[in-house]
Amino acid sequence: MRKRTFLISCVFAFALLTGCSDNKADEYVGGQITSIKENGSDSFATILDEGIAESNDSYVLQFPEELREPYLEFMKDSFSSITFEVAKAKKMNDGTFSVQVTYTPINIKNTVEAANIEQIALLETTELTGAVTSILEEDTKLIKNSPSREDETITTLNVYQDGDSYKISTESLENLFEQSLYGVMEPYNQVCDILDCYDFVKAYLDASFKGEVSRFALHTDRTEEEALAWYEADVFDPPADLSEAYVSRYQEALKTMMKQCQYTVGIPKKETGVYSYTVEIKTTPNTSLESAYTEFEGGTYYSIDEVSSGLVAAMEKYAAAPTFGEETSMTISFNASSMLSAGDANSELATLATTIFVIP
């Protein structure tokens, strides 16, 4: 015969994880769950910390501390949408109590995934805290109004007496949280996945054109010294017949031109595949090098030294007063294949590079 149970529907006046000596263990459990539902967001701190650690291992972007309280509140609100049925306590041989709690867990991932894809596509900010906060607000409504649920589950809570009070073992309570809120980090991970890609694309362009390599080093598991060497490799090699006296001026003029490149990275869109995105990049093409060569080629020179001087003088002129074309945009694929072929002359990324910085 099934043991008599009761639904948690009334408010018990207990402090979180404490109880009174005249309550039965099962009544105490019911009171604690109700208390957690109403004001126990801090109860989820350990579960959140575990989720944060996993996410921080997966992405370069790290969980912002200012997002902690909104996320704990989201976890509490999700937990509050579940109905728990508490069975009568069973006293064990060691004097502790075993209390079974029956409930239907929420699958947060299945509840929010599709809607979040649409919301993320409409994001107007690339700031992680703001983006996740706005998603959490909508996801809380989804969980309240149309949650996706798993099969009915029973979790056993271990309860023991501590003086005149009862307490639920930390391990069994955390097990209840883990089993009742499946995929609780999904809202954060969905946003972080997209914005981590955005951060990488911007870091890649900033490193390529401006020599700002700190973020690129993090994304590519390089030291900053290694990333700087990657930036300088081959790109600034002067023409073979340039006089030695003009090499450093040539390199500095070219670096200055490239640092003046203008581009805006859009919010990536997730495509099918493990790491596959498309990103719209708007740019106002930097035509400074093209302008310098046009002016240089219009001159008359009688020696290699004069040729070198004329070229460098033209480059320095347009480095000081850069020229630009009309704004344009390109949609680029970022995936393992496109990154491996980035150095190929006809690749998307090579075409992007010569659109941002026009090569004569």
Side-chain angles (χ1 to χ4, degrees), residues 109-198:
K109 176 179 169 61
N110 287 349
T111 301
V112 306
E113 187 173 28
N116 282 359
I117 290 172
E118 296 180 4
Q119 293 180 65
I120 291 169
L122 300 175
L123 278 178
E124 296 181 352
T125 178
T126 56
E127 194 271 318
L128 185 57
T129 300
V132 175
T133 299
S134 67
I135 294 294
L136 288 179
E137 291 173 359
E138 297 304 315
D139 286 354
T140 299
K141 296 175 187 176
L142 286 172
I143 288 169
K144 179 180 178 181
N145 297 323
S146 54
S148 172
R149 297 189 183 275
E150 298 286 284
D151 294 335
E152 185 176 83
T153 299
I154 297 175
T155 296
T156 299
L157 298 180
N158 299 317
V159 182
Y160 61 95
Q161 285 187 281
D162 183 22
D164 293 332
S165 299
Y166 290 105
K167 285 188 178 180
I168 304 172
S169 77
T170 300
E171 182 179 357
S172 64
L173 189 61
E174 290 178 356
N175 186 44
L176 175 67
F177 295 155
E178 288 178 347
Q179 293 189 9
S180 60
L181 301 176
Y182 180 81
V184 73
M185 294 303 294
E186 183 67 13
Y188 174 78
N189 288 340
Q190 277 190 280
V191 176
C192 192
D193 180 75
I194 295 297
L195 295 189
D196 197 71
C197 177
Y198 165 85

Coordinates of all heavy atoms in Angstrom, one line a residue, residues 109-198:
K109 N 16.6 23.1 -20.6 CA 17.2 23.1 -21.9 C 16.1 23.0 -23.0 O 16.1 23.8 -23.9 CB 18.2 22.0 -22.1 CG 18.8 21.8 -23.5 CD 19.8 20.7 -23.6 CE 20.3 20.4 -25.0 NZ 20.9 21.5 -25.7
N110 N 15.3 22.0 -22.9 CA 14.2 21.8 -23.9 C 13.2 22.9 -23.8 O 12.6 23.3 -24.9 CB 13.5 20.5 -23.7 CG 14.4 19.3 -24.1 OD1 15.4 19.4 -24.7 ND2 13.9 18.1 -23.7
T111 N 13.0 23.5 -22.7 CA 12.0 24.6 -22.5 C 12.4 25.8 -23.3 O 11.6 26.5 -23.9 CB 11.8 24.9 -21.0 OG1 11.3 23.7 -20.4 CG2 10.7 26.0 -20.9
V112 N 13.7 26.2 -23.2 CA 14.1 27.5 -23.6 C 14.9 27.5 -24.9 O 15.1 28.6 -25.5 CB 15.0 28.2 -22.5 CG1 14.2 28.2 -21.2 CG2 16.3 27.5 -22.3
E113 N 15.4 26.4 -25.3 CA 16.4 26.3 -26.4 C 16.0 27.0 -27.7 O 16.6 27.9 -28.2 CB 16.8 24.9 -26.7 CG 18.0 24.8 -27.7 CD 18.4 23.3 -27.9 OE1 17.6 22.4 -27.7 OE2 19.6 23.1 -28.2
A114 N 14.8 26.6 -28.2 CA 14.3 27.2 -29.5 C 14.0 28.6 -29.4 O 14.4 29.4 -30.3 CB 13.1 26.4 -30.0
A115 N 13.3 29.0 -28.3 CA 13.0 30.5 -28.1 C 14.3 31.3 -28.0 O 14.3 32.4 -28.5 CB 12.1 30.6 -26.9
N116 N 15.3 30.8 -27.3 CA 16.5 31.5 -27.1 C 17.2 31.8 -28.4 O 17.9 32.8 -28.5 CB 17.4 30.8 -26.1 CG 16.9 31.0 -24.6 OD1 16.0 31.7 -24.4 ND2 17.6 30.4 -23.7
I117 N 17.2 30.8 -29.3 CA 17.9 31.0 -30.6 C 17.3 32.2 -31.3 O 18.0 33.1 -31.8 CB 17.7 29.8 -31.5 CG1 18.5 28.6 -30.9 CG2 18.1 30.0 -32.9 CD1 18.3 27.3 -31.6
E118 N 15.9 32.4 -31.2 CA 15.3 33.5 -31.8 C 15.6 34.8 -31.1 O 15.9 35.9 -31.7 CB 13.8 33.3 -31.8 CG 13.3 32.1 -32.7 CD 11.8 32.0 -32.7 OE1 11.1 32.8 -32.0 OE2 11.3 31.0 -33.3
Q119 N 15.7 34.7 -29.7 CA 16.0 35.9 -28.9 C 17.4 36.4 -29.2 O 17.7 37.6 -29.3 CB 15.7 35.7 -27.4 CG 14.3 35.4 -27.1 CD 14.2 35.2 -25.6 OE1 14.5 36.0 -24.7 NE2 13.8 33.9 -25.2
I120 N 18.3 35.4 -29.2 CA 19.7 35.8 -29.4 C 20.0 36.4 -30.8 O 20.8 37.3 -30.9 CB 20.6 34.5 -29.2 CG1 20.6 34.1 -27.7 CG2 22.1 34.8 -29.6 CD1 21.2 32.7 -27.5
A121 N 19.2 36.0 -31.8 CA 19.3 36.6 -33.1 C 18.9 38.0 -33.1 O 19.3 38.8 -34.0 CB 18.5 35.8 -34.1
L122 N 18.2 38.4 -32.1 CA 17.7 39.8 -32.0 C 18.4 40.7 -31.0 O 18.1 41.8 -30.8 CB 16.2 39.8 -31.7 CG 15.3 39.1 -32.7 CD1 13.8 39.1 -32.2 CD2 15.3 39.8 -34.0
L123 N 19.5 40.1 -30.4 CA 20.2 40.8 -29.4 C 20.8 42.1 -29.9 O 21.3 42.1 -31.1 CB 21.4 39.9 -28.8 CG 21.0 38.9 -27.7 CD1 22.3 38.1 -27.4 CD2 20.5 39.5 -26.5
E124 N 20.8 43.1 -29.1 CA 21.4 44.4 -29.5 C 22.7 44.7 -28.7 O 23.2 45.8 -28.9 CB 20.4 45.5 -29.4 CG 19.2 45.3 -30.3 CD 18.2 46.4 -30.2 OE1 18.3 47.3 -29.3 OE2 17.2 46.5 -31.0
T125 N 23.1 43.8 -27.9 CA 24.2 44.0 -27.0 C 25.2 42.8 -27.1 O 24.7 41.7 -27.2 CB 23.9 44.3 -25.6 OG1 25.1 44.5 -24.8 CG2 23.1 43.1 -25.0
T126 N 26.5 43.1 -27.1 CA 27.5 42.0 -27.0 C 28.1 42.0 -25.6 O 29.0 41.2 -25.3 CB 28.6 42.2 -28.0 OG1 29.2 43.5 -27.8 CG2 28.0 42.1 -29.4
E127 N 27.5 42.7 -24.6 CA 27.9 42.7 -23.3 C 27.2 41.5 -22.6 O 26.0 41.4 -22.5 CB 27.5 44.0 -22.6 CG 28.2 44.3 -21.3 CD 27.4 43.7 -20.1 OE1 26.2 43.8 -20.1 OE2 28.0 43.1 -19.2
L128 N 28.0 40.6 -22.0 CA 27.6 39.3 -21.6 C 26.5 39.4 -20.5 O 25.5 38.7 -20.5 CB 28.7 38.4 -21.1 CG 28.4 37.0 -20.7 CD1 27.8 36.2 -21.9 CD2 29.7 36.2 -20.3
T129 N 26.8 40.2 -19.5 CA 25.8 40.3 -18.4 C 24.5 40.8 -18.8 O 23.4 40.2 -18.5 CB 26.4 41.2 -17.3 OG1 27.6 40.7 -16.8 CG2 25.4 41.3 -16.1
G130 N 24.5 41.8 -19.6 CA 23.2 42.4 -20.1 C 22.5 41.4 -21.0 O 21.2 41.3 -20.9
A131 N 23.2 40.7 -21.9 CA 22.6 39.8 -22.8 C 21.9 38.6 -22.1 O 20.8 38.2 -22.3 CB 23.6 39.3 -23.8
V132 N 22.7 38.0 -21.1 CA 22.1 36.9 -20.4 C 20.9 37.3 -19.5 O 19.9 36.6 -19.4 CB 23.2 36.2 -19.5 CG1 22.6 35.1 -18.6 CG2 24.3 35.7 -20.4
T133 N 21.0 38.5 -18.9 CA 20.0 39.0 -18.0 C 18.7 39.1 -18.8 O 17.6 38.7 -18.3 CB 20.3 40.3 -17.4 OG1 21.5 40.2 -16.6 CG2 19.2 40.9 -16.5
S134 N 18.7 39.7 -20.0 CA 17.5 39.8 -20.8 C 17.0 38.5 -21.2 O 15.7 38.3 -21.3 CB 17.8 40.7 -22.1 OG 18.7 40.0 -23.0
I135 N 17.8 37.5 -21.5 CA 17.4 36.2 -21.9 C 16.7 35.5 -20.7 O 15.7 34.8 -20.8 CB 18.5 35.3 -22.4 CG1 19.1 35.9 -23.7 CG2 18.1 33.9 -22.5 CD1 18.1 35.8 -24.9
L136 N 17.3 35.7 -19.5 CA 16.7 35.0 -18.3 C 15.3 35.5 -18.0 O 14.5 34.8 -17.5 CB 17.6 35.3 -17.1 CG 19.0 34.6 -17.0 CD1 19.7 35.0 -15.7 CD2 18.8 33.1 -17.0
E137 N 15.1 36.8 -18.2 CA 13.7 37.4 -18.0 C 12.7 36.6 -18.9 O 11.6 36.3 -18.4 CB 13.7 38.9 -18.3 CG 14.6 39.7 -17.3 CD 14.7 41.1 -17.7 OE1 14.1 41.5 -18.8 OE2 15.3 41.9 -17.0
E138 N 13.0 36.4 -20.1 CA 12.1 35.7 -21.0 C 12.0 34.2 -20.7 O 10.9 33.6 -20.8 CB 12.5 35.9 -22.5 CG 12.5 37.4 -22.9 CD 11.1 38.0 -22.7 OE1 10.1 37.3 -23.1 OE2 11.0 39.1 -22.2
D139 N 13.1 33.6 -20.3 CA 13.1 32.2 -20.0 C 12.3 31.9 -18.7 O 11.7 30.9 -18.6 CB 14.6 31.7 -19.8 CG 15.3 31.6 -21.2 OD1 14.6 31.8 -22.2 OD2 16.5 31.3 -21.2
T140 N 12.3 32.8 -17.8 CA 11.5 32.7 -16.6 C 10.1 32.6 -16.9 O 9.3 31.7 -16.3 CB 11.8 33.8 -15.6 OG1 13.2 33.8 -15.2 CG2 10.9 33.7 -14.3
K141 N 9.6 33.4 -17.9 CA 8.2 33.3 -18.3 C 7.9 32.0 -19.0 O 6.9 31.4 -18.8 CB 7.9 34.5 -19.3 CG 8.1 35.9 -18.7 CD 7.9 36.9 -19.7 CE 8.2 38.3 -19.2 NZ 8.2 39.4 -20.2
L142 N 8.8 31.5 -19.8 CA 8.6 30.2 -20.5 C 8.5 29.1 -19.5 O 7.6 28.2 -19.7 CB 9.8 30.0 -21.4 CG 9.9 30.8 -22.7 CD1 11.2 30.5 -23.4 CD2 8.7 30.4 -23.7
I143 N 9.3 29.1 -18.5 CA 9.3 28.0 -17.5 C 8.0 28.1 -16.7 O 7.5 27.0 -16.4 CB 10.6 28.1 -16.6 CG1 11.8 27.7 -17.4 CG2 10.4 27.3 -15.4 CD1 13.1 28.0 -16.8
K144 N 7.5 29.3 -16.5 CA 6.3 29.4 -15.7 C 5.1 29.0 -16.5 O 4.2 28.3 -16.0 CB 6.1 30.9 -15.3 CG 4.8 31.1 -14.5 CD 4.7 32.6 -14.1 CE 3.4 32.8 -13.3 NZ 3.3 34.3 -13.0
N145 N 5.1 29.3 -17.8 CA 3.9 29.2 -18.6 C 3.9 27.9 -19.5 O 2.8 27.3 -19.7 CB 3.7 30.4 -19.6 CG 3.5 31.7 -18.8 OD1 2.8 31.7 -17.8 ND2 4.0 32.8 -19.3
S146 N 5.0 27.5 -20.0 CA 5.0 26.3 -20.9 C 6.3 25.4 -20.7 O 7.1 25.3 -21.6 CB 4.9 26.7 -22.3 OG 5.9 27.7 -22.6
P147 N 6.5 24.9 -19.5 CA 7.7 24.1 -19.2 C 7.7 22.8 -19.9 O 6.7 22.1 -20.1 CB 7.7 24.0 -17.7 CG 6.2 24.0 -17.3 CD 5.6 24.9 -18.3
S148 N 8.9 22.3 -20.3 CA 9.1 20.9 -20.8 C 9.5 20.1 -19.6 O 10.4 20.5 -18.8 CB 10.1 20.9 -21.9 OG 10.5 19.6 -22.2
R149 N 8.9 19.0 -19.4 CA 9.1 18.2 -18.1 C 9.7 16.8 -18.5 O 9.4 16.3 -19.5 CB 7.9 18.1 -17.3 CG 7.4 19.5 -16.8 CD 6.3 19.3 -15.8 NE 5.7 20.6 -15.3 CZ 6.3 21.3 -14.4 NH1 7.3 20.9 -13.7 NH2 5.7 22.5 -14.0
E150 N 10.4 16.3 -17.5 CA 11.0 15.0 -17.6 C 10.0 14.0 -17.0 O 8.9 14.4 -16.5 CB 12.3 14.9 -16.9 CG 13.4 15.8 -17.5 CD 13.9 15.2 -18.8 OE1 14.7 14.3 -18.7 OE2 13.5 15.8 -19.8
D151 N 10.3 12.7 -16.9 CA 9.5 11.7 -16.3 C 9.5 12.0 -14.7 O 10.4 12.5 -14.2 CB 9.9 10.3 -16.6 CG 9.8 10.0 -18.0 OD1 8.9 10.6 -18.7 OD2 10.6 9.1 -18.5
E152 N 8.4 11.5 -14.1 CA 8.3 11.7 -12.7 C 9.5 11.0 -12.0 O 10.0 9.9 -12.4 CB 7.0 11.0 -12.2 CG 6.8 11.2 -10.7 CD 5.5 10.6 -10.2 OE1 5.4 9.4 -10.0 OE2 4.5 11.3 -10.1
T153 N 10.0 11.7 -11.0 CA 11.3 11.3 -10.3 C 11.1 11.2 -8.8 O 10.3 12.0 -8.3 CB 12.4 12.3 -10.7 OG1 12.6 12.3 -12.1 CG2 13.7 11.9 -10.0
I154 N 11.8 10.3 -8.2 CA 11.8 10.3 -6.7 C 13.2 10.5 -6.2 O 14.1 9.8 -6.6 CB 11.2 8.9 -6.2 CG1 9.8 8.7 -6.6 CG2 11.3 8.9 -4.7 CD1 9.2 7.4 -6.2
T155 N 13.4 11.5 -5.3 CA 14.6 11.7 -4.7 C 14.5 11.5 -3.2 O 13.5 11.9 -2.6 CB 15.1 13.2 -4.9 OG1 15.3 13.3 -6.3 CG2 16.4 13.4 -4.2
T156 N 15.5 10.8 -2.6 CA 15.4 10.5 -1.2 C 16.3 11.5 -0.5 O 17.5 11.7 -0.8 CB 15.9 9.1 -0.9 OG1 15.1 8.1 -1.5 CG2 15.9 8.8 0.6
L157 N 15.7 12.2 0.5 CA 16.4 13.2 1.3 C 16.8 12.5 2.7 O 15.9 11.9 3.3 CB 15.6 14.4 1.5 CG 15.2 15.2 0.3 CD1 14.4 16.5 0.7 CD2 16.4 15.7 -0.5
N158 N 18.0 12.7 3.1 CA 18.4 12.2 4.4 C 18.3 13.3 5.4 O 18.9 14.4 5.2 CB 19.9 11.8 4.3 CG 20.1 10.6 3.3 OD1 19.2 9.7 3.2 ND2 21.1 10.7 2.5
V159 N 17.5 13.1 6.4 CA 17.2 14.1 7.4 C 17.7 13.6 8.8 O 17.6 12.4 9.1 CB 15.7 14.4 7.5 CG1 15.4 15.5 8.5 CG2 15.2 14.8 6.1
Y160 N 18.3 14.4 9.5 CA 18.8 14.0 10.9 C 18.5 15.1 11.9 O 18.2 16.3 11.5 CB 20.3 13.7 10.8 CG 21.2 14.9 10.4 CD1 21.7 15.8 11.4 CD2 21.4 15.2 9.1 CE1 22.5 16.8 11.1 CE2 22.2 16.3 8.7 CZ 22.7 17.1 9.7 OH 23.5 18.2 9.4
Q161 N 18.5 14.7 13.1 CA 18.2 15.6 14.2 C 19.5 16.3 14.7 O 20.5 15.6 14.9 CB 17.5 15.0 15.4 CG 16.0 14.7 15.1 CD 15.2 14.2 16.3 OE1 15.3 13.0 16.6 NE2 14.5 15.1 16.9
D162 N 19.5 17.6 14.9 CA 20.6 18.3 15.4 C 20.1 19.1 16.6 O 19.6 20.2 16.5 CB 21.1 19.3 14.3 CG 22.4 20.0 14.8 OD1 23.0 19.6 15.7 OD2 22.6 21.1 14.2
G163 N 20.3 18.4 17.8 CA 19.7 19.0 19.0 C 18.2 18.9 18.9 O 17.6 17.9 18.8
D164 N 17.6 20.1 19.1 CA 16.1 20.2 19.0 C 15.6 20.4 17.6 O 14.4 20.6 17.4 CB 15.6 21.3 19.9 CG 15.9 20.9 21.4 OD1 15.9 19.7 21.7 OD2 16.0 21.9 22.2
S165 N 16.5 20.4 16.6 CA 16.1 20.8 15.3 C 16.4 19.6 14.3 O 17.1 18.7 14.6 CB 16.9 22.0 14.8 OG 16.6 23.1 15.6
Y166 N 15.7 19.7 13.2 CA 16.0 18.8 12.1 C 16.9 19.5 11.1 O 17.0 20.7 10.9 CB 14.8 18.4 11.3 CG 13.8 17.5 12.1 CD1 12.7 17.9 12.7 CD2 14.1 16.1 12.3 CE1 11.8 17.1 13.4 CE2 13.3 15.3 12.9 CZ 12.1 15.8 13.5 OH 11.3 14.9 14.2
K167 N 17.7 18.7 10.3 CA 18.4 19.2 9.2 C 18.4 18.2 8.0 O 18.4 17.0 8.2 CB 19.9 19.6 9.6 CG 20.0 20.8 10.4 CD 21.5 21.2 10.6 CE 21.5 22.5 11.4 NZ 23.0 22.9 11.6
I168 N 18.5 18.8 6.8 CA 18.6 17.9 5.6 C 20.1 17.9 5.2 O 20.7 18.9 5.2 CB 17.8 18.5 4.4 CG1 16.3 18.7 4.8 CG2 17.9 17.6 3.2 CD1 15.5 19.4 3.8
S169 N 20.5 16.7 4.9 CA 22.0 16.6 4.5 C 22.2 17.4 3.3 O 21.4 17.4 2.3 CB 22.4 15.1 4.3 OG 21.9 14.7 3.1
T170 N 23.3 18.1 3.3 CA 23.7 19.0 2.1 C 23.7 18.2 0.8 O 23.2 18.6 -0.2 CB 25.0 19.7 2.4 OG1 24.9 20.4 3.6 CG2 25.4 20.5 1.2
E171 N 24.3 17.0 0.9 CA 24.5 16.2 -0.3 C 23.1 15.8 -0.9 O 23.0 15.9 -2.1 CB 25.3 14.9 0.0 CG 25.6 14.0 -1.2 CD 26.4 12.8 -0.8 OE1 26.8 12.7 0.3 OE2 26.6 12.0 -1.7
S172 N 22.2 15.3 -0.1 CA 20.9 14.9 -0.7 C 20.1 16.1 -1.1 O 19.4 16.0 -2.1 CB 20.1 14.1 0.4 OG 19.8 14.9 1.5
L173 N 20.2 17.3 -0.5 CA 19.5 18.4 -0.9 C 20.0 18.9 -2.3 O 19.3 19.3 -3.2 CB 19.6 19.6 0.1 CG 18.7 20.8 -0.2 CD1 17.2 20.4 -0.2 CD2 19.0 21.8 0.9
E174 N 21.4 18.9 -2.4 CA 21.9 19.3 -3.7 C 21.6 18.3 -4.8 O 21.4 18.7 -6.0 CB 23.5 19.4 -3.6 CG 23.9 20.6 -2.7 CD 25.4 20.8 -2.5 OE1 26.1 19.9 -3.0 OE2 25.8 21.7 -1.9
N175 N 21.4 17.1 -4.5 CA 21.0 16.1 -5.4 C 19.6 16.4 -5.9 O 19.3 16.2 -7.1 CB 21.1 14.7 -4.8 CG 20.8 13.6 -5.8 OD1 21.2 13.6 -6.9 ND2 19.9 12.6 -5.3
L176 N 18.7 16.8 -5.0 CA 17.4 17.2 -5.4 C 17.4 18.4 -6.4 O 16.7 18.4 -7.4 CB 16.6 17.6 -4.1 CG 15.2 18.2 -4.4 CD1 14.3 17.1 -4.9 CD2 14.6 18.8 -3.1
F177 N 18.3 19.4 -6.1 CA 18.4 20.5 -7.0 C 18.8 20.1 -8.4 O 18.3 20.5 -9.4 CB 19.3 21.6 -6.4 CG 18.9 22.2 -5.1 CD1 19.8 22.7 -4.2 CD2 17.5 22.2 -4.8 CE1 19.4 23.3 -3.1 CE2 17.1 22.8 -3.6 CZ 18.1 23.3 -2.7
E178 N 19.9 19.2 -8.4 CA 20.4 18.8 -9.7 C 19.4 18.0 -10.5 O 19.3 18.2 -11.7 CB 21.7 17.9 -9.4 CG 22.9 18.7 -8.9 CD 24.1 17.8 -8.7 OE1 23.9 16.6 -8.6 OE2 25.2 18.3 -8.5
Q179 N 18.6 17.2 -9.9 CA 17.7 16.3 -10.6 C 16.4 17.1 -11.0 O 15.8 16.7 -12.0 CB 17.3 15.1 -9.8 CG 18.5 14.1 -9.5 CD 18.1 12.8 -8.9 OE1 16.9 12.6 -8.8 NE2 19.0 12.0 -8.5
S180 N 16.1 18.1 -10.2 CA 14.8 18.8 -10.5 C 15.0 19.9 -11.6 O 14.0 20.2 -12.3 CB 14.3 19.4 -9.3 OG 15.2 20.3 -8.7
L181 N 16.2 20.4 -11.8 CA 16.5 21.5 -12.7 C 17.5 21.0 -13.8 O 18.7 21.3 -13.7 CB 17.0 22.7 -12.0 CG 16.1 23.3 -10.9 CD1 16.8 24.4 -10.2 CD2 14.8 23.7 -11.5
Y182 N 17.0 20.2 -14.8 CA 17.9 19.7 -15.8 C 18.3 20.8 -16.8 O 17.4 21.5 -17.3 CB 17.1 18.6 -16.5 CG 18.0 17.9 -17.6 CD1 18.9 17.0 -17.3 CD2 17.8 18.3 -18.9 CE1 19.7 16.4 -18.3 CE2 18.6 17.7 -19.9 CZ 19.5 16.8 -19.6 OH 20.3 16.2 -20.6
G183 N 19.6 20.9 -17.0 CA 20.1 21.9 -18.0 C 20.0 23.3 -17.5 O 19.7 24.2 -18.3
V184 N 20.2 23.5 -16.2 CA 20.0 24.9 -15.7 C 20.9 25.9 -16.2 O 20.6 27.1 -16.3 CB 20.1 24.8 -14.1 CG1 21.5 24.7 -13.7 CG2 19.5 26.1 -13.5
M185 N 22.1 25.5 -16.8 CA 23.0 26.5 -17.3 C 22.8 26.8 -18.8 O 23.5 27.6 -19.4 CB 24.5 26.0 -17.2 CG 25.0 25.9 -15.7 SD 24.9 27.4 -14.8 CE 26.1 28.4 -15.7
E186 N 21.7 26.2 -19.4 CA 21.5 26.3 -20.8 C 21.3 27.8 -21.2 O 21.9 28.2 -22.2 CB 20.2 25.5 -21.2 CG 19.9 25.6 -22.7 CD 21.0 24.9 -23.5 OE1 21.8 24.2 -23.0 OE2 20.9 25.0 -24.8
P187 N 20.5 28.6 -20.5 CA 20.4 30.0 -21.0 C 21.7 30.7 -21.0 O 22.0 31.5 -22.0 CB 19.5 30.7 -19.9 CG 18.7 29.5 -19.4 CD 19.6 28.3 -19.4
Y188 N 22.6 30.6 -20.0 CA 23.9 31.2 -20.0 C 24.8 30.6 -21.1 O 25.4 31.4 -21.9 CB 24.6 31.0 -18.7 CG 26.0 31.5 -18.7 CD1 26.3 32.8 -18.6 CD2 27.1 30.6 -18.9 CE1 27.6 33.3 -18.7 CE2 28.4 31.1 -18.9 CZ 28.6 32.4 -18.8 OH 29.9 32.9 -18.9
N189 N 24.8 29.3 -21.3 CA 25.7 28.7 -22.3 C 25.3 29.1 -23.7 O 26.1 29.3 -24.6 CB 25.7 27.2 -22.1 CG 26.4 26.7 -20.9 OD1 27.2 27.5 -20.3 ND2 26.2 25.5 -20.4
Q190 N 24.0 29.2 -24.0 CA 23.5 29.6 -25.3 C 24.0 31.0 -25.7 O 24.5 31.2 -26.8 CB 22.0 29.5 -25.4 CG 21.4 28.1 -25.7 CD 20.0 28.2 -26.0 OE1 19.1 28.3 -25.1 NE2 19.6 28.1 -27.3
V191 N 23.9 31.9 -24.7 CA 24.4 33.3 -25.0 C 25.9 33.3 -25.0 O 26.5 33.9 -25.9 CB 23.8 34.2 -23.9 CG1 24.4 35.6 -24.1 CG2 22.3 34.3 -23.9
C192 N 26.5 32.6 -24.1 CA 28.0 32.7 -24.0 C 28.6 32.1 -25.3 O 29.6 32.5 -25.8 CB 28.5 32.0 -22.8 SG 30.2 32.2 -22.4
D193 N 28.0 31.0 -25.8 CA 28.5 30.4 -27.0 C 28.6 31.4 -28.1 O 29.6 31.4 -28.9 CB 27.6 29.2 -27.4 CG 28.1 28.4 -28.6 OD1 29.1 27.7 -28.5 OD2 27.5 28.6 -29.7
I194 N 27.5 32.1 -28.3 CA 27.5 33.1 -29.4 C 28.4 34.3 -29.2 O 29.2 34.7 -30.1 CB 26.0 33.6 -29.6 CG1 25.1 32.5 -30.1 CG2 26.0 34.8 -30.6 CD1 25.5 31.9 -31.4
L195 N 28.4 34.8 -27.9 CA 29.3 36.0 -27.7 C 30.7 35.6 -27.5 O 31.6 36.4 -27.7 CB 28.8 36.7 -26.4 CG 27.4 37.3 -26.5 CD1 27.1 38.2 -25.3 CD2 27.2 38.1 -27.8
D196 N 31.0 34.3 -27.2 CA 32.4 33.9 -27.2 C 32.9 33.8 -28.6 O 34.1 34.2 -28.9 CB 32.5 32.5 -26.6 CG 33.9 32.1 -26.1 OD1 34.4 32.7 -25.2 OD2 34.5 31.3 -26.8
C197 N 32.1 33.4 -29.6 CA 32.4 33.5 -31.0 C 32.7 34.9 -31.4 O 33.6 35.2 -32.1 CB 31.4 32.8 -31.8 SG 31.7 32.8 -33.6
Y198 N 31.7 35.8 -31.0 CA 31.9 37.2 -31.4 C 33.2 37.7 -30.8 O 34.0 38.4 -31.6 CB 30.8 38.0 -30.7 CG 31.0 39.5 -30.7 CD1 30.8 40.3 -31.8 CD2 31.6 40.1 -29.6 CE1 31.0 41.7 -31.8 CE2 31.9 41.5 -29.5 CZ 31.6 42.2 -30.7 OH 31.9 43.6 -30.6

